[in-house]
Amino acid sequence: MTRIAFVMDPLDRINLKKDSTLAMIRAAQARGWEVTYLQQQDLAHHDAKVWGYGRRLDLDPAFAEALDPAAVEGRAWYDLGAEEPSPLGSFDVIFMRKDPPFNMEYIYSTYLLERAQQDGALVVNRPASIRDCNEKYFATAFPDCCPPLLVTRRADLIREFQAEHGDMVVKPLDGMGGSSVFRVKRDDPNLSVILETLTRHGQEQIMAQKFLPEISDGDKRILMIDGEPVDYALARIPMAGEARANLAAGGTGEGRPLTDRDRWIAERVGPELKSRGLTFVGIDVIGDYLTEVNVTCPTCIRELDAQFSLDIAARLLDTVAMQLSTPG
């Protein structure tokens, strides 16, 4: 039997209506794979091995059928077994599905998971690539896909950038869900305090991007599986008066077929993702431009599945099964 483990957030924090990891767990359970639940605190190294203090996880059959919370109203949606330590290398597959923040604890987890990979487990995504590919900065590896941008901690360079491009967006390199993203218009009196706050008075690098008015038509999330795009994107549309389109910031999701430009960007980025072992990635596109490459815990599976009758998690696990059968 194939054994698969998910390193993820606490189960009581899971959004039952939207969580993409649940779709993956459901797909694994449908295959008859044994699912183990882990949190970061359950990873350890001793006796020359990395270990996981995991618990077997089974979704309630009624909930698993359609991932419908109403099907288990008033009772638990899962069954969790007793804690059982196992060498992480004994798992066939380990999914790293812990949400950011991408802090030192996240990096320490990738060290442990990298050792599990060396011990024989397939880790999705590859731990070294999670560390190397900052979700904001990695997009700059494809400059022909990106809008005008700047990465710096110097306020004078950011002011020069704004003088050239006018309206801009500034954001930290380690944020998620639209957190601490500011749209700054020309002559904005708050520019100094925004830059002081984001750079911590010049101590941390941040990114400035030319503001893309196409954001009003949506920030498209394109899901990539082993370097190939799903045929539909989820356009996250900002609510009225908001410059951020993230669903966590109140945006709404509208599914759309990929455009020719979307496919060109995916073709440009895909081979690099595949070569780095980034099996499941979400790239973000505004208008004609790539803005971010999400490698830690991409979402939007459930929304696209619902709107287009897809089963993206099943396709993902088909790919994982193929990787297991053809290691290396």
Side-chain angles (χ1 to χ4, degrees):
M1 176 185 292
T2 299
R3 301 178 68 220
I4 184 169
F6 290 87
V7 181
M8 53 190 291
D9 289 299
L11 294 175
D12 59 3
R13 295 189 199 168
I14 299 297
N15 185 326
L16 298 187
K17 294 181 178 180
K18 296 171 56 176
D19 188 82
S20 290
T21 306
L22 285 180
M24 300 176 192
I25 293 171
R26 176 196 182 199
Q29 191 169 298
R31 286 173 171 266
W33 292 5
E34 182 179 291
V35 177
T36 294
Y37 164 71
L38 293 162
Q39 295 185 61
Q40 286 177 295
Q41 67 199 38
D42 300 322
L43 308 180
H45 182 124
H46 61 85
D47 299 327
K49 292 183 183 295
V50 286
W51 293 76
Y53 290 78
R55 304 174 73 179
R56 177 163 176 162
L57 174 64
D58 291 289
L59 302 183
D60 180 282
F63 177 64
E65 184 174 346
L67 296 182
D68 180 8
V72 287
E73 189 171 355
R75 69 174 192 271
W77 53 272
Y78 63 87
D79 180 68
L80 207 55
E83 182 176 277
E84 182 178 344
S86 297
L88 287 182
S90 70
F91 288 98
D92 298 288
V93 188
I94 303 172
F95 268 82
M96 179 51 161
R97 292 292 300 173
K98 172 69 178 70
D99 278 337
F102 191 82
N103 52 19
M104 286 307 301
E105 276 303 309
Y106 211 110
I107 290 174
Y108 297 150
S109 293
T110 68
Y111 292 155
L112 294 163
L113 291 172
E114 189 169 28
R115 192 63 56 84
Q117 174 187 295
Q118 294 167 358
D119 290 344
L122 172 64
V123 182
V124 181
N125 287 319
R126 185 182 296 165
S129 294
I130 292 177
R131 289 198 302 273
D132 288 348
C133 300
N134 174 272
E135 299 191 324
K136 307 293 191 297
Y137 189 72
F138 185 46
T140 66
F142 313 96
D144 49 339
C145 301
C146 293
L149 59 82
L150 168 71
V151 175
T152 186
R153 50 199 251 184
R154 287 180 49 168
D156 61 324
L157 296 183
I158 298 175
R159 292 180 185 279
E160 290 175 9
F161 180 86
Q162 187 185 42
E164 179 181 358
H165 297 289
D167 208 349
M168 67 178 179
V169 169
V170 290
K171 54 189 174 181
L173 294 179
D174 61 351
M176 65 164 289
S179 175
S180 299
V181 175
F182 294 87
R183 177 184 177 183
V184 186
K185 298 181 180 180
R186 194 183 299 275
D187 299 323
D188 190 319
N190 296 305
L191 177 59
S192 292
V193 69
I194 289 171
L195 297 185
E196 289 168 5
T197 300
L198 289 184
T199 67
R200 299 186 186 276
H201 294 274
Q203 298 305 303
E204 294 185 9
Q205 303 277 357
I206 66 171
M207 176 176 283
Q209 285 179 337
K210 179 181 178 180
F211 175 73
L212 300 173
E214 296 89 344
I215 186 67
S216 62
D217 191 45
D219 179 353
K220 290 179 286 189
R221 166 62 54 84
I222 301 171
L223 296 178
M224 306 284 291
I225 298 176
D226 203 26
E228 297 293 332
V230 173
D231 287 333
Y232 301 91
L234 190 74
R236 296 159 297 174
I237 301 170
M239 63 181 181
E242 175 63 71
R244 300 171 301 168
N246 311 73
L247 300 182
T252 56
E254 178 183 303
R256 297 175 186 167
L258 299 189
T259 66
D260 289 344
R261 175 69 177 183
D262 295 337
R263 291 188 181 279
W264 181 83
I265 292 173
E267 289 172 2
R268 179 77 176 81
V269 176
E272 183 70 11
L273 301 180
K274 185 178 177 72
S275 71
R276 288 176 176 267
L278 293 168
T279 300
F280 186 61
V281 170
I283 63 175
D284 293 344
V285 174
I286 300 174
D288 288 336
Y289 295 105
L290 174 71
T291 59
E292 294 187 16
V293 181
N294 294 271
V295 303
T296 50
C297 191
T299 61
C300 299
I301 285 179
R302 302 275 296 280
E303 294 88 346
L304 288 171
D305 279 356
Q307 293 187 40
F308 298 106
S309 299
L310 304 175
D311 194 339
I312 295 169
R315 174 178 163 182
L316 173 59
L317 290 196
D318 285 344
T319 297
V320 166
M322 188 177 301
Q323 291 175 346
L324 288 173
S325 65
T326 56

